[in-house]
Amino acid sequence: MSAVVLCSRNGALLKQVFALSRAATPREDHLCAAGDALLSCHRSYRSRPTHGIGRYKYLLPKETPKKKKDRVQMKEINTGTEYEYGDINIQMTSYDLCLVEHFAQYVHRLCNRLSVRVNESYAMPTRTNEVLFLEERGSKMQLDAVLTTHQRIVQISGLSSTFAPILLEIIQSNQPEGVHLLMKEHTEADFKSRLKSRPELEELLAQMT
Amino acid sequence: SSWLPQGFPLRGSHWQSSLLELRTSLPVRAQPKKKKKVDVRKEQAQKDRLKKKIKKLEKAAPELIPIEDFITPPQYLDSNRVRSLPALSPEETERRVLLLKRWCLFKQKQDEAEKKAIQTLVESQQEALKELRLESEELYQAAIRRDEGLFPFERDGPKHTPPLPGYDPPEGKCVDITKVYTQ
């Protein structure tokens, strides 16, 4: 009788043990979710209402992945009833770096003030020239100076045909001494002149054809 | 076989079409055709290799040429170069500050005059166009059109002095020593 009782008790005990074990896990879970910093708990119970409680990255604005170099160039449609000009490059060239830099900044700010859209404002690579002159008595060429030519480009677009001569007038009147101004339309060749040459690729392409 | 009927002419090989002629047509199953196949395959393999190389090179994005203006030469970064300026007297500083203020005012007046000039220009242009529109629609449309001869526009900056009459420049030449960058 006692054995039966024991067995039944054991059975009951076993059942109770199982029940207790089942009850213990929620207690542990509460312990974890209590925010104990020492316990690193990564369990997320999807059924519970606290699922995903620490998420915040979805609230931040999406960051676009950085592109290394854009090979695509923008070209506006030039025809239209209003007749706007497409991309125009204002190229300023001079031997004096500070002067050309300041003039480029001035032109950029002027375009901003007159609400002309400025696409890009960049510098072209500097060209170095060695000036040699022939000595008066003698046939040897002597080095006179090493001159560096600097060029800055401000690219604008959407210039209306009525406003273009006015803008030209303003830029001309403020053109400093020694700065050569050139305004022309932007072409792919202009874009390619900024890039490094690839002789290997050109060689292989020549071999292909 | 040794038995030959009377009607058939004797031939060295069945590739010879007539007894008297030499071998003119190439035999169909022999070595040269294999050479052709191998050539074609080799050419194809070469072309594929070239294409692969080109693809590999094209994958790398084209780089912009670095601009020397924006790279400070290392000689200006090394030592702690400090410019020793002379001490200014208070009268001198006062004079300079007042001069600066007068210059600022002058420049401000100049800038405002320029802005006003631009505004009047634009307004008068718009008025003129309005009047023209009232006059004739055709002329207005022609005036609105963009000028094709405007760009390219080139102009040299003003010079400090006029050109000297009878100036004989020394003979010489300009050599371009710009560094060529390759990718």
Side-chain angles (χ1 to χ4, degrees):
Chain A
M1 167 98 162
S2 58
V4 170
V5 167
L6 272 169
C7 285
S8 65
R9 265 194 212 155
N10 277 342
L13 273 170
L14 280 167
K15 278 190 198 166
Q16 274 177 19
V17 160
F18 278 132
L20 275 170
S21 66
R22 254 180 259 140
T25 42
R27 265 187 235 154
E28 279 173 40
D29 177 38
H30 287 317
L31 274 173
C32 283
D36 196 352
L38 298 171
L39 276 175
S40 59
C41 200
H42 301 290
R43 293 188 287 182
S44 53
Y45 285 82
R46 288 172 227 167
S47 55
R48 290 186 194 279
T50 55
H51 174 63
I53 193 163
R55 274 174 70 210
Y56 67 94
K57 280 245 168 95
Y58 68 98
L59 294 168
L60 294 173
K62 288 245 166 103
E63 275 178 36
T64 48
K66 268 190 190 172
K67 258 190 178 179
K68 275 212 166 173
K69 203 104 297 159
D70 50 332
R71 305 162 199 210
V72 183
Q73 324 124 47
M74 299 215 294
K75 178 90 190 183
E76 211 215 52
I77 314 158
N78 287 335
T79 52
T81 43
E82 270 80 38
Y83 286 111
E84 289 181 354
Y85 294 91
D87 291 346
I88 290 175
N89 281 358
I90 307 175
Q91 295 179 359
M92 293 150 277
T93 326
S94 174
Y95 294 118
D96 189 358
L97 173 68
C98 301
L99 203 59
V100 77
E101 185 82 39
H102 286 150
F103 188 49
Q105 283 178 13
Y106 168 76
V107 165
H108 197 316
R109 285 195 188 169
L110 185 78
C111 293
N112 284 350
R113 193 161 28 108
L114 300 169
S115 48
V116 174
R117 196 171 76 214
V118 174
N119 285 349
E120 279 184 296
S121 171
Y122 53 86
M124 289 293 274
T126 8
R127 292 182 174 275
T128 327
N129 281 322
E130 246 183 20
V131 180
L132 308 151
F133 73 93
L134 196 65
E135 279 183 57
E136 278 175 35
R137 286 166 203 183
S139 55
K140 199 177 98 171
M141 288 285 209
Q142 202 192 40
L143 181 69
D144 195 17
V146 177
L147 296 172
T148 49
T149 312
H150 310 268
Q151 197 178 57
R152 298 281 182 274
I153 295 182
V154 177
Q155 201 184 90
I156 54 173
S157 78
L159 190 67
S160 70
S161 52
T162 48
F163 192 67
I166 299 174
L167 185 71
L168 236 73
E169 189 73 40
I170 302 164
I171 295 177
Q172 271 182 77
S173 63
N174 286 301
Q175 197 177 350
E177 188 186 317
V179 172
H180 181 85
L181 179 74
L182 168 65
M183 288 178 80
K184 58 191 268 287
E185 283 166 16
H186 186 60
T187 54
E188 207 176 308
D190 290 328
F191 179 72
K192 292 236 162 101
S193 65
R194 284 176 81 191
L195 303 169
K196 282 187 188 168
S197 66
R198 297 158 129 188
E200 302 150 348
L201 189 66
E202 279 162 30
E203 244 185 68
L204 289 172
L205 281 168
Q207 271 183 20
M208 270 281 286
T209 52
Chain B
S1 64
S2 51
W3 180 79
L4 284 163
Q6 290 292 318
F8 281 94
L10 260 169
R11 284 187 196 179
S13 77
H14 63 287
W15 297 121
Q16 271 180 292
S17 41
S18 78
L19 286 166
L20 298 167
E21 283 172 23
L22 294 164
R23 193 192 281 187
T24 47
S25 63
L26 280 167
V28 183
R29 341 174 211 111
Q31 282 283 53
K33 187 137 193 211
K34 276 185 197 170
K35 274 188 199 166
K36 274 190 200 168
K37 267 189 186 167
V38 165
D39 272 349
V40 165
R41 272 184 210 164
K42 266 191 181 175
E43 273 179 40
Q44 272 281 307
Q46 259 187 350
K47 274 193 178 177
D48 286 331
R49 266 179 272 153
L50 269 176
K51 278 186 190 169
K52 265 194 176 177
K53 276 187 196 172
I54 287 172
K55 263 192 184 177
K56 226 185 172 181
L57 283 174
E58 275 183 349
K59 261 192 185 176
E63 291 170 29
L64 288 177
I65 301 174
I67 295 157
E68 292 154 16
D69 295 347
F70 302 147
I71 310 164
T72 49
Q75 59 188 151
Y76 302 131
L77 296 166
D78 284 335
S79 58
N80 316 326
R81 297 148 44 106
V82 180
R83 204 187 285 186
S84 57
L85 295 165
L88 293 170
S89 63
E91 291 92 16
E92 184 62 33
T93 43
E94 185 85 21
R95 190 185 79 87
R96 285 192 188 186
V97 163
L98 287 170
L99 185 65
L100 195 70
K101 285 174 95 71
R102 286 211 307 272
W103 175 252
C104 284
L105 192 71
F106 168 75
K107 273 304 211 182
Q108 189 193 33
K109 291 265 165 66
Q110 205 183 48
D111 194 42
E112 266 174 44
E114 196 184 71
K115 284 186 188 164
K116 211 174 165 184
I118 299 167
Q119 212 176 359
T120 47
L121 257 176
V122 170
E123 276 171 11
S124 56
Q125 197 186 46
Q126 290 298 317
E127 231 186 87
L129 282 170
K130 234 193 277 181
E131 291 295 316
L132 185 64
R133 194 160 205 182
L134 290 170
E135 265 306 309
S136 80
E137 189 68 33
E138 250 183 52
L139 287 173
Y140 173 76
Q141 288 298 328
I144 282 287
R145 258 167 226 257
R146 65 179 224 181
D147 190 3
E148 301 295 336
L150 193 57
F151 302 114
F153 173 77
E154 210 169 330
R155 188 184 177 243
D156 260 336
K159 302 281 187 281
H160 198 64
T161 49
L164 288 171
Y167 173 64
D168 184 28
E171 277 182 37
K173 63 176 180 185
C174 242
V175 178
D176 193 5
I177 51 167
T178 336
K179 189 176 168 187
V180 175
Y181 291 90
T182 50
Q183 192 170 7

